[in-house]
Each structure stands twice: as C-alpha cells, then as structure tokens.
C-alpha cells in the first residue's frame, strides 16, 4: 500500500528508522524516514484500521454488503467464504440482512487461528450459532496463516531465496504451535483453510493434515491450502491422496 503522512501518523508509522519486525516492511528513505510504502503486515494493519472506521456504522455495512452481493450475482456466484475472520459487527449485519430476507448469498464464515488463545471457545460459539451448511450463514471452520509472501521474502521455502541467500523466509508462528492448533480443531471436526505460499509452508500443511487423518479425525469440510505458489513435485499427489483442495490464487 502507498499512503500519505496522515495515514502514517494515524498508524504510528511516522517514526524515523521504524522497524515493523517479522511479517512486514515499512520502507524508509536514505535518511531513515518512512516513504509511505507499506508491505504485508503494516498494509494489513492499515486496512483493518481504515475499514473499522469506515464500516463502524451498521447502515454502511449493510449498503456495502448488498452492493457486493449484486456483483457476485452478476457473475453467477451464490456462495462465498470469508477466509480470514468474520468479525462480530459483520456477523450482526449479516444476521439482520438474513432476517430481513435481503441476504441472498451463502456466507461461509471462518475464525483465524493465529494469535488467538480463545479459538476453541469462539469456534464452539460460532458453530452453535451457524450450524447448518445449507443455510445462508454457516461457520465453515478455521483459517491459518502459515507464511507470508514471496515478494518480500516471507514465504517459507525449503531452500534459500536466489536473490536473498541469507533467508528461506519463515513461518508466521512456531511450527509446533501451528501443528497443535490444526490438530486441536480437526479433533473437534472442523476444517482448516491454510494460507501457504512457499513450498515449505505447503509441505508443512500437508504433513499436518495427513497426521490428523492418520489419527482418525473426521471433519465436516475438506481442508484447503490457498495460493500454493511453490509446491514440491513430490507433494502434488498428496493433495488428492488426502482430499485437500488446492485453492490457487
């Protein structure tokens, strides 16, 4: 994202020599001043900040949802997934549209696993509220961010980057923690949708899904791995073997 000084100040990104840390870059000029170019983490933070302000009014949320629904219908799309986090204000808006019979789109909601210690409690609550996959609102399962993106060398690879031989990227959480999260929710019958760009992230996801299958965990939905920019040759057959959806985008 490109932003101006006002946006940088609102986010606290206007400090000299600021370092976002793992998961993103705040680009600086030669003097150490932010240029206004944000990549990955800080751009997502800015989006969340701006959208929270923009969509804080219920009527605006309804208008935007109905406008989006019209676009989906123009292309014949009748079912979508919110593949990150469906927040409570949006859930209430969707419920109101459903109850007013204005919602004519099936919405599959998800809950983000990363950095949420209450994921089991929240997921159980959402599953009670939206239990029916044939209804307009359904709790599909969980989302896991396994790695970043290739452009800023945060996608998790099995070998170093050709233009950055000092790094293979990295997972966005400790692998043992991500494994624990996935097995935890699969044990309870929920599917997991993983963001995995690098081949190590894809390999890790496949390994964890295979482990859950070997443990006999039965889930309501097929697991999916989205992006899959790099996949090891040996891993292609494993998608079919374990009935995993490759959501390429």
């Amino acid at each position: 994202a490109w932003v101006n000084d006002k946006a940088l100040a609102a986010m606290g990104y206007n400090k000299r020599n600021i370092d976002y840390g793992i998961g993103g870059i705040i680009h600086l000029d030669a003097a150490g001043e932010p240029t206004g170019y944000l990549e990955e983490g800080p751009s997502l933070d800015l989006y969340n900040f701006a959208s929270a302000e923009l969509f804080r009014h219920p009527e605006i949320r309804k208008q935007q949802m109905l406008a989006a629904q019209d676009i989906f219908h123009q292309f014949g799309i009748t079912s979508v997934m919110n593949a990150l986090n469906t927040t409570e204000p949006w859930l209430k808006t969707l419920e109101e549209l459903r109850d007013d019979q204005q919602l004519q789109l099936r919405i599959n909601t998800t809950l983000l696993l990363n950095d949420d210690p209450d994921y089991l409690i929240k997921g159980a609550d959402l599953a009670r509220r939206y239990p029916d996959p044939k209804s307009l609102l359904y709790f599909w399962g969980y989302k896991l961010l396994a790695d970043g993106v290739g452009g800023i060398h945060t996608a998790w690879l099995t070998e170093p980057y050709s233009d950055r031989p000092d790094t293979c990227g990295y997972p966005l959480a400790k692998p043992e923690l991500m494994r624990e999260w996935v097995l935890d929710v699969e044990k309870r019958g929920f599917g997991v949708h993983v963001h995995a760009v690098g081949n190590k992230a894809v390999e890790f996801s496949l390994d964890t899904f295979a482990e859950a299958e070997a443990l006999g965990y039965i889930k309501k939905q097929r697991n999916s791995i989205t992006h899959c920019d790099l996949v090891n040759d040996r891993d292609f057959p494993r998608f079919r073997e374990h009935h995993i959806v490759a959501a390429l985008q």
Side-chain angles (χ1 to χ4, degrees):
W2 279 102
V3 298
N4 60 19
D5 289 343
K6 188 172 182 178
L8 288 172
M11 294 298 297
Y13 292 161
N14 57 340
K15 303 176 181 67
R16 177 173 288 187
N17 296 320
I18 186 172
D19 180 12
Y20 186 81
I22 293 176
I25 298 176
I26 301 172
H27 286 269
L28 309 175
D29 63 19
E33 298 289 347
T35 64
Y37 181 39
L38 310 175
E39 286 196 75
E40 205 171 349
S43 64
L44 290 173
D45 292 344
L46 179 67
Y47 167 79
N48 291 331
F49 174 81
S51 61
E53 179 64 21
L54 176 63
F55 297 133
R56 63 190 175 94
H57 297 292
E59 286 307 313
I60 292 179
R61 289 198 297 271
K62 286 183 179 179
Q63 292 169 11
Q64 293 299 311
M65 183 62 230
L66 292 174
Q69 178 174 265
D70 286 343
I71 294 172
F72 285 128
H73 286 170
Q74 289 174 26
F75 291 93
I77 297 171
T78 59
S79 179
V80 298
M81 173 186 281
N82 182 359
L84 188 56
N85 246 351
T86 313
T87 62
E88 189 60 32
W90 275 106
L91 289 172
K92 289 188 180 299
T93 295
L94 292 170
E95 289 175 356
E96 290 172 4
L97 290 172
R98 176 199 61 192
D99 295 344
D100 292 341
Q101 299 185 340
Q102 295 184 74
L103 185 63
Q104 299 175 17
L105 192 70
R106 285 193 173 90
I107 311 289
N108 296 279
T109 68
T110 61
L111 187 64
L112 185 63
L113 283 168
N114 300 64
D115 303 319
D116 188 347
D118 298 324
Y119 63 88
L120 288 179
I121 295 172
K122 292 178 180 178
D125 176 62
L126 290 170
R128 282 192 294 269
R129 289 168 64 182
Y130 314 115
D132 184 3
K134 295 182 179 180
S135 67
L136 292 174
L137 293 177
Y138 174 58
F139 178 58
W140 182 93
Y142 290 85
K143 174 69 176 281
L144 174 67
L145 298 174
D147 68 348
V149 296
I152 59 171
H153 308 94
T154 55
W156 189 19
L157 307 185
T158 56
E159 297 179 4
Y161 284 82
S162 60
D163 60 341
R164 278 283 308 277
D166 60 320
T167 183
C168 295
Y170 45 78
L172 291 186
K174 293 181 178 179
E176 58 268 27
L177 262 182
M178 294 196 293
R179 172 184 169 275
E180 178 184 321
W181 295 337
V182 171
L183 295 180
D184 220 5
V185 299
E186 290 225 18
K187 184 177 182 179
R188 288 161 174 80
F190 296 111
V192 181
H193 178 78
V194 183
H195 164 109
V197 172
N199 55 350
K200 183 62 178 177
V202 174
E203 178 184 83
F204 168 83
S205 303
L206 290 166
D207 288 345
T208 307
F209 289 154
E211 183 178 357
E213 186 177 294
L215 289 169
Y217 297 161
I218 299 174
K219 54 195 174 299
K220 301 173 185 176
Q221 306 290 344
R222 291 172 64 186
N223 291 322
S224 59
I225 304 175
T226 191
H227 303 304
C228 302
D229 289 17
L230 294 173
V231 180
N232 301 318
D233 288 345
R234 63 181 178 275
D235 285 333
F236 281 106
R238 302 176 70 197
F239 283 85
R240 180 168 58 182
E241 178 183 353
H242 300 292
H243 309 288
I244 295 165
V245 176
L248 306 181
Q249 54 173 285

